[in-house]
Amino acid sequence: MKTRNFLTAILVAFATLGAKAQNPYLPMWEYTPDGEPYVFEDPDRPGEYRVYVYGSHDSLIKYYCGLEQVVWSAPVDDLTNWRYDGVIFRSVMGPDNRPLNHDGKGDVLYAPDVTMRVAADGRKEYFLYPNNQAWGREGMVARSERPDGPFEVCNWSADDPTRTEGVLRFDPGVFVDDDGRVYGYWGFSRSYGAELDPTTMATVRPGTEVVEDMIPGFEQDETFRFFEASSIRKVKDKYIFIYSRFTRPGEFGLGMSNYTLAYAYGDHPLGPWTYGGTIIDGRGRDVDADGNAIPTAWPHGNTHGSICKIGNQWWVFYHRQTGTDQYSRQAMVAPISVKVEKGRGGKVTISEGEYNSEGFMTEGLNPLHKSAAGLACYLTEPGTVGESFPNFFHTGSYVKPTRLGEQPEEGPYNQKIPYCPVVNNTSGSVVGYKYFNFTHTADATHPRLCVHLVPEGLDATITVMLDAPDATRGGKALGTIALVKDTPRWKKEWTIDVPNLKGVKGKHPLFFVFHSATPDKSICELHDFQFMK
């Protein structure tokens, strides 16, 4: 059995409390974007299976990613029980046991991938492609006999102990086919693919060549529009290539964005490919009261992820942006359907997932449980969100990142598990959640809503709406919280009656609508809320 160190054990204990499978589905202090999900056998419980998610780790805070890669996992039959399996890889020392970098620090590790194959003696081998951002090590490969590592580099150069031998570059994706042949994918703006040598798992198979522009980049055509984030899956007899796509200006009624995951499919691992469509849009597309397309989440950002079948359900794994820059990304998930027509030329149809607050809790969140404000999946502002890389400029509500410090029990707001509040709630902002299952409160005789927030010195109101943020779109007011400017500016509880909730059953979205006579100034910080019978 793998031995975890003391800090990992502490994090496992906290993660058990903090990860409840809603979106984001990991604890809100964890920032693990670029998730690649796989179902592998549990090495400690033969015959049982877990879903493992491998991603980069936004721990540098002021830059993308981190110097380490971690893995989280959950039993396939209990996706509410996510476990932190610890750091699986760092790139610090070379094969000569000398530091790879002059400062003694490890390489920055971007979006990774993992693949598994069965060795000749029947043992399972796992290969990690950590996506080093360091000269000479972009094609690094590391091997382990466990899906949760640790992984050891297996493709060091025989001539230079600071380099590795391999063709894979930015955002690698690797796949072992049923016949044992191995394929690799990578690229930024232009896509590349190749058959790999199975003896190295890193170099091009002798007698074959790299396929350049495997699908067209976003400056090369108006359909595929590849940007980055190569990922590959095989379903039945079809190969599905998943990637970050730059939308066209005006497509979906919005501006150009690389915040979408799309897919292409084919009958061979290296194509030719047919464009399939969008799997998830991180902008949370919706329409306003006039029928115009709007983003209901960050309109800009990047994305990376893939699809995975767990039990009988398909899921798309991706990430969302939080805060005021691009460096605090959280893991997200949505249910999808995947349909494959077998036979040469058969069609692959993947439904588009919905940007939501539910995550794996597809029957809806329980309104009787306390919900952190940071679960919001619907955030509209009175103005537009500006961007000057890497910064976002919000005119209204956004999710504020919080992080786990050295003393978790001293986390923000005296919570043992830090969670993300929604801040900058200016007049005209809307904060929403999809979805709550109000069957849990349908029999309430005196339903109430308890909200924790920090007022910020304005006379203001917060209207709680069911189904839509305004009546013109079918919304129904549940109640109003009134704030006055001289209320002390510390965290306080407000409880209001919500009689219109009586008898309401099933799944419904919930919205908080903010209003004051003072524009451009935050009304409050929204921390959490809970319905009561």
Side-chain angles (χ1 to χ4, degrees):
M1 179 177 292
K2 182 181 177 183
T3 301
R4 298 184 177 90
N5 62 30
F6 179 68
L7 176 59
T8 300
I10 292 175
L11 291 178
V12 169
F14 279 104
T16 301
L17 296 174
K20 296 298 183 184
Q22 66 276 343
N23 265 337
Y25 61 89
L26 299 181
M28 300 193 80
W29 45 260
E30 177 66 298
Y31 300 88
T32 305
D34 309 320
E36 284 282 351
Y38 292 97
V39 173
F40 292 136
E41 187 174 19
D42 186 337
D44 299 321
R45 294 176 175 82
E48 298 183 17
Y49 289 82
R50 302 180 68 86
V51 55
Y52 294 83
V53 178
Y54 304 85
S56 52
H57 202 214
D58 277 350
S59 59
L60 290 178
I61 301 177
K62 294 184 179 180
Y63 307 94
Y64 280 127
C65 306
L67 306 181
E68 71 291 315
Q69 287 179 335
V70 304
V71 67
W72 288 78
S73 68
V76 294
D77 55 357
D78 185 4
L79 298 177
T80 69
N81 186 18
W82 285 86
R83 184 183 74 192
Y84 176 70
D85 287 328
V87 174
I88 59 172
F89 185 75
R90 290 187 176 95
S91 181
V92 180
M93 308 298 287
D96 56 359
N97 206 33
R98 294 182 179 181
L100 292 169
N101 300 309
H102 294 300
D103 59 7
K105 295 181 180 179
D107 295 338
V108 178
L109 306 174
Y110 277 38
D113 196 18
V114 167
T115 193
M116 186 273 290
R117 73 176 181 187
V118 179
D121 61 4
R123 290 180 297 108
K124 293 180 178 178
E125 298 178 299
Y126 300 86
F127 294 88
L128 170 70
Y129 296 79
N131 198 6
N132 306 53
Q133 294 300 294
W135 180 83
R137 294 188 291 279
E138 300 94 331
M140 183 175 277
V141 186
R143 178 189 173 278
S144 176
E145 293 187 359
R146 295 178 58 99
D148 54 358
F151 288 84
E152 298 292 336
V153 179
C154 59
N155 67 326
W156 290 114
S157 168
D159 302 319
D160 184 344
T162 68
R163 295 175 60 91
T164 55
E165 300 291 347
V167 68
L168 297 170
R169 291 297 181 264
F170 192 78
D171 284 0
V174 181
F175 164 69
V176 178
D177 208 345
D178 302 331
D179 58 6
R181 297 171 76 170
V182 185
Y183 300 88
Y185 309 82
W186 67 96
F188 182 81
S189 299
R190 296 178 63 189
S191 70
Y192 300 85
E195 184 173 355
L196 303 182
D197 186 340
T199 63
T200 66
M201 297 294 285
T203 57
V204 177
R205 181 179 177 179
T208 68
E209 297 180 347
V210 172
V211 178
E212 297 186 0
D213 299 318
M214 189 184 70
I215 65 170
F218 72 96
E219 295 179 326
Q220 297 172 318
D221 89 328
E222 292 299 301
T223 301
F224 289 92
R225 298 182 63 82
F226 172 87
F227 182 58
E228 58 181 354
S230 299
S231 180
I232 188 75
R233 295 293 187 271
K234 184 177 184 181
V235 182
K236 297 181 180 178
D237 63 344
K238 295 294 177 287
Y239 301 89
I240 302 176
F241 182 66
I242 298 138
Y243 62 99
S244 169
R245 176 180 179 267
F246 247 122
T247 60
R248 299 185 301 274
E251 189 175 2
F252 304 119
L254 298 174
M256 190 169 73
S257 172
N258 61 302
Y259 209 5
T260 63
L261 282 181
Y263 73 101
Y265 61 91
D267 295 313
H268 185 274
L270 296 174
W273 302 95
T274 299
Y275 178 68
T278 300
I279 306 177
I280 192 74
D281 191 332
R283 299 172 295 181
R285 297 194 317 270
D286 201 353
V287 295
D288 62 17
D290 298 320
N292 299 312
I294 58 170
T296 64
W298 270 244
H300 314 289
N302 62 24
T303 193
H304 190 140
S306 198
I307 63 174
C308 186
K309 188 177 185 181
I310 307 172
N312 294 319
Q313 178 63 57
W314 280 96
W315 304 89
V316 57
F317 289 70
Y318 65 107
H319 65 245
R320 72 171 183 178
Q321 305 286 160
T322 65
T324 57
D325 58 41
Q326 301 226 18
Y327 307 136
S328 297
R329 298 165 293 172
Q330 294 177 323
M332 302 279 281
V333 70
I336 56 172
S337 64
V338 178
K339 298 180 180 179
V340 172
E341 297 175 1
K342 294 183 69 175
R344 188 166 184 82
K347 185 177 181 180
V348 174
T349 303
I350 302 179
S351 65
E352 183 173 349
E354 182 180 24
Y355 191 100
N356 63 62
S357 303
E358 295 176 343
F360 292 107
M361 302 175 69
T362 55
E363 294 183 358
L365 303 177
N366 188 336
L368 297 175
H369 294 169
K370 182 181 289 187
S371 293
L375 299 180
C377 66
Y378 187 107
L379 296 150
T380 59
E381 309 183 21
T384 58
V385 179
E387 181 185 23
S388 178
F389 183 85
N391 299 308
F392 300 114
F393 304 96
H394 296 276
T395 62
S397 304
Y398 65 89
V399 177
K400 178 182 177 180
T402 58
R403 294 179 182 270
L404 188 69
E406 293 182 1
Q407 299 296 327
E409 68 277 8
E410 297 176 5
Y413 320 119
N414 295 318
Q415 300 289 328
K416 288 185 177 180
I417 298 298
Y419 59 90
C420 299
V422 176
V423 301
N424 200 42
N425 297 301
T426 58
S427 185
S429 295
V430 178
V431 177
Y433 303 82
K434 298 180 179 179
Y435 299 86
F436 282 94
N437 189 337
F438 286 103
T439 301
H440 295 283
T441 56
D443 61 347
T445 57
H446 187 195
R448 292 173 295 163
L449 173 63
C450 176
V451 180
H452 287 103
L453 55 82
V454 177
E456 296 188 278
L458 293 182
D459 292 326
T461 59
I462 307 171
T463 303
V464 183
M465 301 289 294
L466 193 71
D467 293 330
D470 56 76
T472 61
R473 284 181 277 178
K476 179 169 66 174
L478 294 182
T480 299
I481 298 171
L483 305 179
V484 294
K485 61 183 180 181
D486 57 355
T487 302
R489 299 186 184 186
W490 56 66
K491 187 176 176 181
K492 184 180 176 182
E493 178 178 296
W494 269 260
T495 300
I496 61 171
D497 294 331
V498 286
N500 286 341
L501 197 61
K502 290 182 181 179
V504 174
K505 296 182 179 180
K507 289 170 55 172
H508 298 263
L510 184 76
F511 301 90
F512 293 81
V513 182
F514 297 86
H515 177 74
S516 78
T518 306
D520 304 325
K521 185 175 180 182
S522 180
I523 292 167
C524 69
E525 291 186 355
L526 183 63
H527 283 242
D528 59 63
F529 57 93
Q530 181 177 8
F531 287 87
M532 297 175 289
K533 291 186 178 183

